[in-house]
Amino acid sequence: MRTFMHGAAVWDVACPQRPSRVAGLTMAGFRVRDLDALRTVPHPAVTLLLEFGAGSPIIDCAAGQQQRGSVVAGPGFGSGNAVQARGENIECVQVRLSPVIARAVLGASPADLDGAVLPLGDLWGREASRIREQLGDTASWQDRFALTDALLARRHEAGPPVDPEVAWAWHRIVGSRGLARVDELAAEVGWSRKRLWSRFRSQLGLPPKRAVKLVRFDHAAHCLVAGGGAAQVAADAGYADQSHLHRDVRAFTGTTPAALAGEPFLAVDDLAWPSRGTPATSRF
């Protein structure tokens, strides 16, 4: 494991030595002794948090709702600074699923999450408890990654795929870093804009326009963390101007571009998910 230090945050981070057998699936391992309230930053993936440690992560959601233990959240969860994570003695495997494969892996559409953070047991039943026990009984992080990957690969093989047109549209959005136009996507797959909206949302959990904004925001956020100035990041990421970027950052996180650049949730990505340097379509 490697140690991540960012301000007061000190986490141990492990990465798989081999890529997943499932395209669109990435994971990382975390051991955190004391996690103060951490702002979760929206991301264009479905997130699985598989915990197995002595402590338990606590997810504080909007309207006073709270979840503990292993959870699942849809793409863009945490928008508007609505979700924070905290806890002590946390050990977990965090999995990022492309929305294109999430329906098969979860056994339910990401749309069923409706933007909420749900206990994994609500979707997987007893299987959620079994994977926790198996991860806790496994000695090494590489074996934990292999165990997790095998489980998710089996679920993916057995689950229903999304429409190829929907998958194509998603990869175009990600490949363009959020610069694709929804009307052009619909035309290229031979669907009406309304049909693309309906199929995309029902199968991936968010409408195409929201997906475009989320992918563009994610790219801009990581450019800010890398040290880019707000004006240059706005221009490079395709925003109309710096104030447009500011409005998007505020809408997604409740903070400013300058404050977002210091968020540990983003800064850890280069260590936990080094594949961010690969083409965008391979990440989501």
PDB file of all heavy atoms in Angstrom, residues 194-209:
ATOM      1  N   LYS A 194     -36.167  12.407 -28.117  1.00  0.00           N
ATOM      2  CA  LYS A 194     -36.998  11.913 -27.018  1.00  0.00           C
ATOM      3  C   LYS A 194     -36.710  10.454 -26.715  1.00  0.00           C
ATOM      4  O   LYS A 194     -36.631  10.046 -25.546  1.00  0.00           O
ATOM      5  CB  LYS A 194     -38.474  12.102 -27.363  1.00  0.00           C
ATOM      6  CG  LYS A 194     -39.419  11.660 -26.268  1.00  0.00           C
ATOM      7  CD  LYS A 194     -40.877  11.929 -26.653  1.00  0.00           C
ATOM      8  CE  LYS A 194     -41.826  11.481 -25.548  1.00  0.00           C
ATOM      9  NZ  LYS A 194     -43.251  11.740 -25.927  1.00  0.00           N
ATOM     10  N   ARG A 195     -36.529   9.653 -27.762  1.00  0.00           N
ATOM     11  CA  ARG A 195     -36.267   8.224 -27.542  1.00  0.00           C
ATOM     12  C   ARG A 195     -34.898   8.028 -26.897  1.00  0.00           C
ATOM     13  O   ARG A 195     -34.739   7.208 -25.989  1.00  0.00           O
ATOM     14  CB  ARG A 195     -36.329   7.463 -28.857  1.00  0.00           C
ATOM     15  CG  ARG A 195     -36.168   5.962 -28.688  1.00  0.00           C
ATOM     16  CD  ARG A 195     -36.229   5.231 -30.017  1.00  0.00           C
ATOM     17  NE  ARG A 195     -36.225   3.784 -29.834  1.00  0.00           N
ATOM     18  CZ  ARG A 195     -36.105   2.920 -30.823  1.00  0.00           C
ATOM     19  NH1 ARG A 195     -36.000   3.347 -32.077  1.00  0.00           N
ATOM     20  NH2 ARG A 195     -36.117   1.633 -30.579  1.00  0.00           N
ATOM     21  N   LEU A 196     -33.888   8.784 -27.356  1.00  0.00           N
ATOM     22  CA  LEU A 196     -32.571   8.680 -26.738  1.00  0.00           C
ATOM     23  C   LEU A 196     -32.644   9.070 -25.276  1.00  0.00           C
ATOM     24  O   LEU A 196     -32.074   8.389 -24.413  1.00  0.00           O
ATOM     25  CB  LEU A 196     -31.567   9.569 -27.471  1.00  0.00           C
ATOM     26  CG  LEU A 196     -30.153   9.602 -26.864  1.00  0.00           C
ATOM     27  CD1 LEU A 196     -29.515   8.222 -26.896  1.00  0.00           C
ATOM     28  CD2 LEU A 196     -29.274  10.624 -27.583  1.00  0.00           C
ATOM     29  N   TRP A 197     -33.356  10.164 -24.959  1.00  0.00           N
ATOM     30  CA  TRP A 197     -33.490  10.612 -23.574  1.00  0.00           C
ATOM     31  C   TRP A 197     -34.097   9.498 -22.715  1.00  0.00           C
ATOM     32  O   TRP A 197     -33.595   9.186 -21.633  1.00  0.00           O
ATOM     33  CB  TRP A 197     -34.382  11.853 -23.520  1.00  0.00           C
ATOM     34  CG  TRP A 197     -34.444  12.496 -22.157  1.00  0.00           C
ATOM     35  CD1 TRP A 197     -33.716  13.549 -21.713  1.00  0.00           C
ATOM     36  CD2 TRP A 197     -35.313  12.123 -21.076  1.00  0.00           C
ATOM     37  NE1 TRP A 197     -34.049  13.849 -20.411  1.00  0.00           N
ATOM     38  CE2 TRP A 197     -35.031  12.989 -19.995  1.00  0.00           C
ATOM     39  CE3 TRP A 197     -36.283  11.140 -20.899  1.00  0.00           C
ATOM     40  CZ2 TRP A 197     -35.689  12.909 -18.770  1.00  0.00           C
ATOM     41  CZ3 TRP A 197     -36.934  11.048 -19.678  1.00  0.00           C
ATOM     42  CH2 TRP A 197     -36.646  11.921 -18.639  1.00  0.00           C
ATOM     43  N   SER A 198     -35.177   8.893 -23.211  1.00  0.00           N
ATOM     44  CA  SER A 198     -35.886   7.880 -22.431  1.00  0.00           C
ATOM     45  C   SER A 198     -35.033   6.633 -22.204  1.00  0.00           C
ATOM     46  O   SER A 198     -34.914   6.149 -21.074  1.00  0.00           O
ATOM     47  CB  SER A 198     -37.185   7.502 -23.156  1.00  0.00           C
ATOM     48  OG  SER A 198     -37.853   6.463 -22.491  1.00  0.00           O
ATOM     49  N   ARG A 199     -34.437   6.093 -23.261  1.00  0.00           N
ATOM     50  CA  ARG A 199     -33.644   4.869 -23.135  1.00  0.00           C
ATOM     51  C   ARG A 199     -32.372   5.127 -22.309  1.00  0.00           C
ATOM     52  O   ARG A 199     -31.975   4.296 -21.482  1.00  0.00           O
ATOM     53  CB  ARG A 199     -33.257   4.345 -24.520  1.00  0.00           C
ATOM     54  CG  ARG A 199     -34.436   3.899 -25.368  1.00  0.00           C
ATOM     55  CD  ARG A 199     -35.032   2.578 -24.869  1.00  0.00           C
ATOM     56  NE  ARG A 199     -36.067   2.087 -25.749  1.00  0.00           N
ATOM     57  CZ  ARG A 199     -35.846   1.283 -26.784  1.00  0.00           C
ATOM     58  NH1 ARG A 199     -34.613   0.902 -27.077  1.00  0.00           N
ATOM     59  NH2 ARG A 199     -36.852   0.873 -27.529  1.00  0.00           N
ATOM     60  N   PHE A 200     -31.716   6.232 -22.560  1.00  0.00           N
ATOM     61  CA  PHE A 200     -30.478   6.580 -21.865  1.00  0.00           C
ATOM     62  C   PHE A 200     -30.740   6.697 -20.363  1.00  0.00           C
ATOM     63  O   PHE A 200     -30.034   6.100 -19.545  1.00  0.00           O
ATOM     64  CB  PHE A 200     -29.962   7.908 -22.432  1.00  0.00           C
ATOM     65  CG  PHE A 200     -28.512   8.212 -22.135  1.00  0.00           C
ATOM     66  CD1 PHE A 200     -27.535   7.999 -23.093  1.00  0.00           C
ATOM     67  CD2 PHE A 200     -28.138   8.753 -20.913  1.00  0.00           C
ATOM     68  CE1 PHE A 200     -26.199   8.306 -22.835  1.00  0.00           C
ATOM     69  CE2 PHE A 200     -26.814   9.068 -20.639  1.00  0.00           C
ATOM     70  CZ  PHE A 200     -25.841   8.834 -21.604  1.00  0.00           C
ATOM     71  N   ARG A 201     -31.770   7.447 -19.995  1.00  0.00           N
ATOM     72  CA  ARG A 201     -32.050   7.641 -18.578  1.00  0.00           C
ATOM     73  C   ARG A 201     -32.464   6.344 -17.893  1.00  0.00           C
ATOM     74  O   ARG A 201     -32.029   6.041 -16.784  1.00  0.00           O
ATOM     75  CB  ARG A 201     -33.130   8.695 -18.378  1.00  0.00           C
ATOM     76  CG  ARG A 201     -33.331   9.047 -16.901  1.00  0.00           C
ATOM     77  CD  ARG A 201     -34.515   9.951 -16.653  1.00  0.00           C
ATOM     78  NE  ARG A 201     -34.615  10.281 -15.257  1.00  0.00           N
ATOM     79  CZ  ARG A 201     -35.065   9.462 -14.314  1.00  0.00           C
ATOM     80  NH1 ARG A 201     -35.453   8.230 -14.642  1.00  0.00           N
ATOM     81  NH2 ARG A 201     -35.122   9.838 -13.038  1.00  0.00           N
ATOM     82  N   SER A 202     -33.317   5.564 -18.543  1.00  0.00           N
ATOM     83  CA  SER A 202     -33.820   4.347 -17.904  1.00  0.00           C
ATOM     84  C   SER A 202     -32.722   3.304 -17.727  1.00  0.00           C
ATOM     85  O   SER A 202     -32.759   2.510 -16.787  1.00  0.00           O
ATOM     86  CB  SER A 202     -34.975   3.757 -18.714  1.00  0.00           C
ATOM     87  OG  SER A 202     -34.535   3.279 -19.970  1.00  0.00           O
ATOM     88  N   GLN A 203     -31.718   3.299 -18.615  1.00  0.00           N
ATOM     89  CA  GLN A 203     -30.684   2.270 -18.554  1.00  0.00           C
ATOM     90  C   GLN A 203     -29.408   2.722 -17.837  1.00  0.00           C
ATOM     91  O   GLN A 203     -28.707   1.894 -17.248  1.00  0.00           O
ATOM     92  CB  GLN A 203     -30.344   1.798 -19.962  1.00  0.00           C
ATOM     93  CG  GLN A 203     -31.515   1.110 -20.641  1.00  0.00           C
ATOM     94  CD  GLN A 203     -31.196   0.637 -22.050  1.00  0.00           C
ATOM     95  OE1 GLN A 203     -30.051   0.384 -22.392  1.00  0.00           O
ATOM     96  NE2 GLN A 203     -32.214   0.527 -22.885  1.00  0.00           N
ATOM     97  N   LEU A 204     -29.099   4.030 -17.872  1.00  0.00           N
ATOM     98  CA  LEU A 204     -27.857   4.515 -17.262  1.00  0.00           C
ATOM     99  C   LEU A 204     -28.077   5.327 -15.995  1.00  0.00           C
ATOM    100  O   LEU A 204     -27.126   5.575 -15.250  1.00  0.00           O
ATOM    101  CB  LEU A 204     -27.059   5.353 -18.270  1.00  0.00           C
ATOM    102  CG  LEU A 204     -26.683   4.673 -19.581  1.00  0.00           C
ATOM    103  CD1 LEU A 204     -25.687   5.530 -20.354  1.00  0.00           C
ATOM    104  CD2 LEU A 204     -26.124   3.278 -19.357  1.00  0.00           C
ATOM    105  N   GLY A 205     -29.302   5.789 -15.766  1.00  0.00           N
ATOM    106  CA  GLY A 205     -29.576   6.461 -14.509  1.00  0.00           C
ATOM    107  C   GLY A 205     -29.554   7.968 -14.542  1.00  0.00           C
ATOM    108  O   GLY A 205     -29.794   8.605 -13.519  1.00  0.00           O
ATOM    109  N   LEU A 206     -29.290   8.561 -15.700  1.00  0.00           N
ATOM    110  CA  LEU A 206     -29.325  10.014 -15.846  1.00  0.00           C
ATOM    111  C   LEU A 206     -29.582  10.345 -17.308  1.00  0.00           C
ATOM    112  O   LEU A 206     -29.239   9.560 -18.185  1.00  0.00           O
ATOM    113  CB  LEU A 206     -28.024  10.656 -15.364  1.00  0.00           C
ATOM    114  CG  LEU A 206     -26.735  10.507 -16.163  1.00  0.00           C
ATOM    115  CD1 LEU A 206     -25.622  11.363 -15.532  1.00  0.00           C
ATOM    116  CD2 LEU A 206     -26.267   9.080 -16.299  1.00  0.00           C
ATOM    117  N   PRO A 207     -30.204  11.479 -17.580  1.00  0.00           N
ATOM    118  CA  PRO A 207     -30.480  11.833 -18.973  1.00  0.00           C
ATOM    119  C   PRO A 207     -29.204  12.270 -19.692  1.00  0.00           C
ATOM    120  O   PRO A 207     -28.215  12.642 -19.059  1.00  0.00           O
ATOM    121  CB  PRO A 207     -31.484  12.988 -18.853  1.00  0.00           C
ATOM    122  CG  PRO A 207     -31.270  13.545 -17.492  1.00  0.00           C
ATOM    123  CD  PRO A 207     -30.817  12.426 -16.627  1.00  0.00           C
ATOM    124  N   PRO A 208     -29.213  12.250 -21.026  1.00  0.00           N
ATOM    125  CA  PRO A 208     -27.992  12.566 -21.768  1.00  0.00           C
ATOM    126  C   PRO A 208     -27.417  13.943 -21.462  1.00  0.00           C
ATOM    127  O   PRO A 208     -26.196  14.095 -21.340  1.00  0.00           O
ATOM    128  CB  PRO A 208     -28.434  12.459 -23.232  1.00  0.00           C
ATOM    129  CG  PRO A 208     -29.643  11.609 -23.221  1.00  0.00           C
ATOM    130  CD  PRO A 208     -30.312  11.826 -21.916  1.00  0.00           C
ATOM    131  N   LYS A 209     -28.259  14.953 -21.349  1.00  0.00           N
ATOM    132  CA  LYS A 209     -27.746  16.302 -21.089  1.00  0.00           C
ATOM    133  C   LYS A 209     -27.046  16.373 -19.749  1.00  0.00           C
ATOM    134  O   LYS A 209     -26.006  17.023 -19.591  1.00  0.00           O
ATOM    135  CB  LYS A 209     -28.883  17.326 -21.157  1.00  0.00           C
ATOM    136  CG  LYS A 209     -28.392  18.764 -21.089  1.00  0.00           C
ATOM    137  CD  LYS A 209     -29.527  19.747 -21.341  1.00  0.00           C
ATOM    138  CE  LYS A 209     -29.025  21.188 -21.295  1.00  0.00           C
ATOM    139  NZ  LYS A 209     -30.126  22.160 -21.553  1.00  0.00           N
TER     140      LYS A 209
END
